[in-house]
Amino acid sequence: QQSAPHFKTLFGVREDCNGIVTVTGVLIRIHTIDGALIERSKAKVSSSIKKERGAIDTTENFARFYMDLVLDRAVVVYL
């Protein structure tokens, strides 16, 4: 959640807003999610599976696999 204000500043979104419409009409919405909630929700993956398949238990993978369940009909860009 600490990066949301920084992201908003970089993209010209007012602090009291959760989104912005670009000059081409694209709506960009900013959602903050409690990182601790994601950490508690991530799968516990054994080291043998990680050795075979890589770091499939990372926060980034959790977001990639489940973000569509958190957000309404949307295209998600995870930064």
Side-chain angles (χ1 to χ4, degrees), residues 2 9 12 17-18 23 27 33 37 39 41 43 54-55 66 71 76:
Q2 296 173 354
T9 300
C17 292
N18 290 323
V23 294
L27 172 62
I33 298 172
L37 174 66
E39 286 298 319
S41 302
Y66 296 104
L71 304 175
V76 175

Side-chain angles (χ1 to χ4, degrees), residues 17-57:
C17 292
N18 290 323
I20 189 170
V21 177
T22 67
V23 294
T24 58
V26 176
L27 172 62
I28 298 174
R29 290 175 48 193
I30 301 168
H31 297 267
T32 57
I33 298 172
D34 181 7
L37 174 66
I38 292 175
E39 286 298 319
R40 289 191 307 270
S41 302
K42 289 188 326 187
K44 306 295 184 247
V45 180
S46 71
S47 58
S48 62
I49 297 289
K50 288 192 270 188
K51 184 175 181 181
E52 177 185 329
R53 299 187 182 172
I56 61 173
D57 61 340

